[in-house]
Amino acid sequence: MDKFKFSQREKSYYLKVWQQNICEIMSFLVIIFGLLALWGWPFNMENLKKFFPGMSTIEITTAFGLILGGACLWLWRWKLKIKHKKFQATIQFLIFILAFFIVLIAFLTLLQSVFNANLDIDRLLMQQPESPGSTAPNTALAFLLVGFALLLLNVRHPNFLMVQGIALGAWLIAFLGLLSYVYGSIYFYTAGIYTGMAIHTPIALLLLTSGILCARPDRGIMKLLSGDGVGSIMARRLLFVALVVPIFVKGLCNLGYQQSFYSFEMAKALESILDTIAFVSAIGWNAYKLNCTDHHRDQAEQALRASQARFAGILEIASDAIISVDGDRRITLFNQGAEKIFGYTADEILGQSLDLLLPDRFAIAHRQHVSNFGEFASKTRRMAASREIFGRRKDGTEFPAEASISTLKINGEIICTAFLRDITESKQAEEIRRESEERFRSAFDYAAIGMALVGLDGNWLKVNRSLCEITGYSELELLATTFQAITHPEDLEIDLNYMQKLLTGEIRFYQMEKRYFHKQGHIVWILLSGSIVRNTEGEPLYFIAQIKDITDRKIAEAALRQSEERYRGILEDQTELISRFQPDGTLSYINEAYCRFFGKKREELIGKSYAPVIFEEDREKIDRLLSTLNAQNPVVTIENRVIVAGEVRWTQWINRIIFDDRGNFVEFQSVGRDITDRKQAEDALRASEQRFHAIFNLTFQFVGLLSPDGILLEVNQSALDFGGLQRSDVVGRPYWEAQWWAISAATQNELKNAIARAAMGEFVRYEVNLQGAGNTLATIDFSIKPVKDERGKVIMLIAEGRDISDRKQAEELIKASLIEKEVLLREIHHRVKNNMQIIYSLLRMQARRTSDDRIAAILKDSQDRIKSMALVHEKLYRSQDLSEIDLEEYVQSLAASLFSSYGVSGNIVIESKINQFFLDIDTAIPCGLILNELISNSLKYAFPGNAQGKIEVEFYVEENKNNVLIFKDNGIGLPADFDIETATSLGLKLVKRLVSQLDGTIDIDTSNGTQFRIAFAGGKGSCL
């Protein structure tokens, strides 16, 4: 009967499944309860509204609450079964609506009771000629709790402890209501809110709340009942007794008292006696079951220890690699087979990521594969069923492999174990076989597979062209003979035996390799698959033969055998030193590498005792470690020095003691390797670290090494001397808490933000004032640089600081000097503008005194020219930037001055299209004089008789970076024969010379008014 027993874990699992199924069943029962009660109201069926005459009636609101609650619970269970996200969201929303209605109806019912009002909730739900009563307050409170429990159960990540706690409150209310009927006690009907609950209401509520409690039995309070621990087992065994027995005993004693079988005191005594007997029996039975459980557990532990010992032995001697990883894909198990395959020792690989053993191109896909597979605990699958997998050895070489992977969930953590085999040899054979099969497949497209129907006497009944090609015979030649005639004599008897077994029915088909004689006399190897065809009565009719030419494969197998022999020779010459010796020290096996290393011959050592010359300082350590070998600890790794040919060499030995089936020590195995180079590399690394620390502490910069979360790991002496600190004051603590950053909270917060940014991979640099020894302040050019590993993850931060206080002081002095020079330059522009204004005023006074109109006009033109240059200096004086002026603003000011000078009213307008272009003084003055001459000429000559007109000034930059100034008016224009090269006007001559000064060109268009296009090289202005 032991095979029908279940462990406590299995019982716990099946209990959870049973509870979840009960949840679904209870939701159906509650819906049926509600529908039956609701059906009784429109048809006035008293048996549906109340179970027995004289009992309370279930109200319409109660019936609706039961239907809605059962529907919510059933929909929630259904939502867990479907996978479609859209349907899940729809069901979740529907559950929310139904649960909200439960809460709303219950809340309104409680309001009726509290304020003694009548909201006619029942009539709103169902119109009835008979006025239904109001739901009892305790029922409404229970439904309110149920509604809240269903709402909380329906959220994305429910708090099952809260859900089950609320449902348990509703369960207690229903339980008290049921007790009132069991005991027939009026106290449960008159105490506070526990009034007027119909008998089927507490029953349905108990079913509904029990269904909510069983929705997730592995969460919250219910985990105490459904777990596989001792406490959960005891709770399950005693809960029924604690809940049911007192009620049953109380009701039974109360019934006897009501029937006058005994007195009230006797009823109480019987109740106490029966309760005591029931609980003592339950405790005794529980103690017995727990003792049985402990006995079974002891047996299981003994079996487990024996199994672990066997497993450890198998694990270590297994030639396949056995590797286990935890949930973070860190290697937790790495056997000797894995060490041989991958080249790593267990000490080197344990705790490392599994990606270390995988080629980079497969790492991401394999990580996702293992993650997906981890979802199916306690399953075993074969990897590489549809694609190849590869491993990566310590030396970087890749090799093909096949693997099986299994998962095991232990204490909530999924452990994946892979059994991996290096299939390099089989892949080589597979490659040869694949080539053969490719040839076969290509031939098959042309009927390369021989097929034949063979008579019971061996005659060929029907053959295909491929068989003819295989044997070299024509179809007619084969049909005229038998298969025996072309079969090699050594294979014929075996073939005939198989055929006889087919005839007698011992086998249904057979397959064998055999040889045919080709028509040309040579041997053809074939793979024969034979079966028999029978009629409906079971009588044999003929044989079906499928014949494949495997001559090439046979040749390949012979070549493979030769290759394997060569490979065994390579293994014999491997660099690892392998030896085995008996308990008395007699060597039973050594490989060639062992002989080469110690300079011995195999025949000198086999069958004799030999011990290498061990370095004197290592003898005590070797004896101590070897003494620890026993059945429980059969393997020990030792690193020691040996003297070989007068030279000291470092070696590493993996020593294993081997026992027979009875536990007797029978042999000792030792696998060693020369690790002298590794030891020398370790010494070089230590020397390198010492040099690094020397440089680190002697640099004048402040340097610190931080963890990504800001903990100071190391700091150099320069930083400590600056702050007057000791290393123990700051190392191992948050960087911002050090004295350097104690100036203000803002300084510390700025550092925290910089550390957070650097931890995300950003290089951060800024200037900051830090506090040094004696509360001195210094300006520091501070930076934090992230250090990443090969996967791009930030593993460390380097904080550097340089004292730039002297440089900052020098910068302040330079700024002060620049301000002084700027004030001086403004004063110069101001004085130049004033001097030109004086010249302008002198010319105006001279013009007023002369009576010669020609001289007055010349003086007026000179005034305008002087004013245009003074305007440039005024704009520079008032500009924020003393090196440039705003051309558009200058043109507007110049035009306004000229319009005023010539008394132009509103008949002429000027329009500028410059778009915020700035010119330096060397360009602004020539441009200003050019515009002065052109605007003055237009005002004087282009619009005679006070005619209407328009002047346009445009400035832009061409794609070739040339500046273009365009001036045009729509006046009467210039004469048809006008040529600026021969012009005698002083103004136009001045324009020509100013354009030459700018290294520019001038083009004139008189087709529609007058247009001057002046282009000059860029680089003398800037455009915003």
Side-chain angles (χ1 to χ4, degrees), residues 61 139 143 371 410 453 490 498 514 582 696 738 740 804 819 970 977:
T61 52
T139 304
F143 273 113
S371 175
I410 302 176
L453 302 181
E490 294 178 1
Y498 277 128
K514 59 182 290 187
Q582 297 172 1
F696 181 74
W740 307 303
I804 58 171
I819 293 173
N970 59 354
D977 57 349

Side-chain angles (χ1 to χ4, degrees), residues 311 315-316 322-325 330-335 350 417:
F311 171 73
L315 184 68
E316 291 304 326
I322 303 177
I323 305 170
S324 293
V325 296
R330 299 288 177 183
I331 298 173
T332 59
L333 174 64
F334 199 75
N335 74 332
L350 290 179
T417 301

Side-chain angles (χ1 to χ4, degrees), residues 501-768:
K501 290 181 179 180
L502 284 177
L503 288 171
T504 59
E506 294 183 42
I507 58 174
R508 296 178 58 188
F509 68 95
Y510 72 94
Q511 189 176 78
M512 66 172 292
E513 295 177 359
K514 59 182 290 187
R515 288 163 288 184
Y516 278 156
F517 288 112
H518 193 272
K519 183 178 179 180
Q520 295 179 358
H522 59 269
I523 298 295
V524 178
W525 275 96
I526 65 156
L527 177 64
L528 171 65
S529 296
S531 59
I532 193 168
V533 176
R534 300 177 184 272
N535 59 16
T536 54
E537 287 77 21
E539 297 176 351
L541 298 177
Y542 53 84
F543 298 103
I544 297 177
Q546 294 181 340
I547 297 124
K548 177 181 178 182
D549 188 348
I550 60 170
T551 305
D552 292 338
R553 195 193 76 185
K554 283 293 186 178
I555 296 172
E557 288 176 351
L560 180 59
R561 283 191 295 271
Q562 294 177 358
S563 175
E564 288 176 347
E565 292 174 0
R566 290 194 297 270
Y567 180 69
R568 279 193 294 271
I570 294 172
L571 286 179
E572 184 63 26
D573 294 334
Q574 64 179 315
T575 58
E576 288 188 337
L577 320 176
I578 303 174
S579 64
R580 286 189 177 185
F581 45 89
Q582 297 172 1
D584 60 359
T586 302
L587 284 168
S588 58
Y589 171 79
I590 55 174
N591 69 341
E592 188 62 31
Y594 187 96
C595 297
R596 287 197 304 268
F597 184 78
F598 289 107
K600 301 290 183 179
K601 294 182 179 180
R602 194 188 304 266
E603 55 271 16
E604 295 178 12
L605 301 179
I606 295 298
K608 301 176 183 178
S609 178
Y610 173 74
V613 180
I614 299 173
F615 200 72
E616 184 64 31
E617 296 178 4
D618 296 339
R619 291 182 180 276
E620 188 272 332
K621 178 181 69 174
I622 294 174
D623 293 338
R624 176 171 46 83
L625 291 175
L626 288 177
S627 65
T628 63
L629 286 172
N630 52 50
Q632 289 72 35
N633 182 36
V635 179
V636 66
T637 300
I638 302 174
E639 292 184 358
N640 64 275
R641 288 163 289 183
V642 297
I643 300 175
V644 180
E647 181 184 2
V648 177
R649 306 290 295 178
W650 274 98
T651 57
Q652 181 190 69
W653 299 90
I654 301 175
N655 302 284
R656 170 179 294 279
I657 190 170
I658 301 172
F659 298 90
D660 60 15
D661 295 338
R662 292 174 293 180
N664 298 319
F665 171 33
V666 294
E667 198 171 25
F668 193 90
Q669 175 180 289
S670 185
V671 179
R673 64 182 62 182
D674 187 350
I675 59 170
T676 305
D677 293 340
R678 192 193 79 187
K679 286 294 184 178
Q680 293 173 349
E682 290 174 355
D683 293 339
L685 177 60
R686 281 192 293 271
S688 175
E689 289 179 350
Q690 292 173 357
R691 290 192 295 272
F692 164 75
H693 281 289
I695 297 172
F696 181 74
N697 285 313
L698 293 178
T699 181
F700 68 91
Q701 295 188 100
F702 310 151
V703 183
L705 305 181
L706 312 178
S707 65
D709 57 355
I711 302 300
L712 186 61
L713 305 176
E714 189 58 81
V715 63
N716 73 340
Q717 192 61 40
S718 298
L720 294 174
D721 294 342
F722 169 73
L725 300 170
Q726 298 296 323
R727 186 175 181 276
S728 58
D729 297 335
V730 291
V731 172
R733 299 176 56 188
Y735 193 31
W736 51 85
E737 293 182 0
Q739 176 186 320
W740 307 303
W741 306 93
I743 293 179
S744 65
T747 302
Q748 293 175 328
N749 290 334
E750 186 178 18
L751 174 62
K752 292 178 183 178
N753 181 56
I755 291 174
R757 289 163 55 195
M760 298 299 292
E762 179 183 353
F763 174 73
V764 182
R765 182 177 182 179
Y766 63 98
E767 294 180 1
V768 62

